[in-house]
Amino acid sequence: MQDDLNDAVDYLAGRGMIDPKRVCIAGASYGGYAAMRAAQRDSAKFRCAISYADVADLNAMIRYDTGFLNGGAMRDSWRKSAPDLKAVSPVEHAADFGAPILIMHGKKDLRVLVAQSRRMAERSKATGKPVDYIEQPLGDHHFSRQADRLQFLEAMESFLAKHNP
């Protein structure tokens, strides 16, 4: 999937539809994983990344939710393409991040525990990487509250103004 994201950037840049020097990536939940993985694996292609309710540690996610990745079938497929999930978990590679990242997560998220984002932010800060971390006390996985959606959009706007003016 990460290769597909890179291919999309190259395709759009090749047609003059985007400035390849001003690409930021954003996502939530699994999309948050993809955004963080892009900032870690392909930071030369992405100027910054924004992640909400992210999966940062695939092994921890599987331990927490046995239905993650559609249970056994999808998990087996993942293990074939990435036998060592630690190797593709952003939390294990905080030192490799080359792009600034905004991480936001709700404390009341039951789908992906806030510990995923906390640990990612802590490891990023410990390695001196540029990370903004915001925890929403009443936030859940789905932006159910208008106040949480608004806070996220305002944080995103501020982050983009700073890292991709």
Side-chain angles (χ1 to χ4, degrees), residues 121-163:
E122 288 167 2
R123 286 199 175 178
S124 295
K125 288 177 183 178
T127 62
K129 299 300 177 179
V131 60
D132 293 352
Y133 179 64
I134 301 169
E135 230 174 73
Q136 296 177 314
L138 301 176
D140 63 11
H141 192 71
H142 306 285
F143 285 124
S144 298
R145 293 171 8 99
Q146 179 181 0
D148 296 329
R149 290 189 301 271
L150 181 60
Q151 182 188 24
F152 177 69
L153 292 172
E154 289 173 344
M156 187 187 315
E157 180 181 42
S158 174
F159 181 81
L160 289 172
K162 179 179 178 182
H163 296 288

Side-chain angles (χ1 to χ4, degrees), residues 43 50-51 61 99 128 133:
S43 60
I50 299 168
S51 177
M61 189 65 199
Y133 179 64

